[in-house]
Amino acid sequence: MTVSITNTEVAQISNVRTSISVVTAVADAVATAQPNTFLYEDIDLPCSQLISMPLLEELKPNQKVDNVAYVRCVDSGARLMCIQVSYQIPIDISGKMSMCNCMKEITSSIEVCEPFNITVSLTNMKVC
């Protein structure tokens, strides 16, 4: 799964943090985890239900960055992925520059299908 982050702010943003989690339902701000679905930031690292992508020090206006996460599922079906991006942006308040903390959260559904099917057929050739 590739998560693309594009800075649509008019100024440069900093301390961009991205996290990805798997949820079954998002209702009343309560999310429950989907069993048998695992996320990997890198295939050599342990799996988790929540991963944090590497921190981006800065992102210029209209700059785009792609992050890759690996998803492993035991069974097929729809999965809800929650992607959360938080960052800081400088704002001018009465002539004084201050850092504003911002966050955006997106929930997206992905469909997991069975990658292959194995069929075994045994035939008895013995004549009685």
Side-chain angles (χ1 to χ4, degrees), residues 21 24 33 40 46 54-55 79 98 118 127:
S21 61
T24 55
Y40 296 85
L55 174 71
R79 300 292 191 278
S98 182
I118 300 174
V127 179

Side-chain angles (χ1 to χ4, degrees), residues 106-126:
I106 297 173
T107 303
S108 180
S109 179
I110 61 170
E111 188 66 32
V112 177
C113 61
E114 195 171 333
F116 51 86
N117 192 2
I118 300 174
T119 304
V120 177
S121 177
L122 298 175
T123 307
N124 188 351
M125 298 296 289
K126 185 177 177 183

Side-chain angles (χ1 to χ4, degrees), residues 9-97:
E9 299 279 3
V10 294
Q12 177 173 303
I13 60 176
S14 59
N15 297 325
V16 182
R17 298 178 190 277
T18 307
S19 64
I20 304 169
S21 61
V22 182
V23 294
T24 55
V26 179
D28 301 326
V30 176
T32 56
Q34 170 69 41
N36 301 323
T37 302
F38 307 99
L39 295 172
Y40 296 85
E41 182 180 342
D42 189 335
I43 56 174
D44 295 330
L45 296 176
C47 65
S48 177
Q49 290 276 316
L50 169 70
I51 58 173
S52 296
M53 304 308 283
L55 174 71
L56 298 172
E57 295 293 329
E58 59 184 39
L59 210 56
K60 296 178 177 143
N62 298 317
Q63 184 179 358
K64 179 181 174 182
V65 174
D66 292 332
N67 289 315
V68 176
Y70 300 93
V71 182
R72 180 178 58 121
C73 302
V74 175
D75 52 0
S76 59
R79 300 292 191 278
L80 285 176
M81 308 299 283
C82 182
I83 299 106
Q84 186 178 64
V85 178
S86 62
Y87 59 93
Q88 294 179 328
I89 185 168
I91 57 170
D92 185 3
I93 301 174
S94 302
K96 182 180 176 189
M97 294 303 285

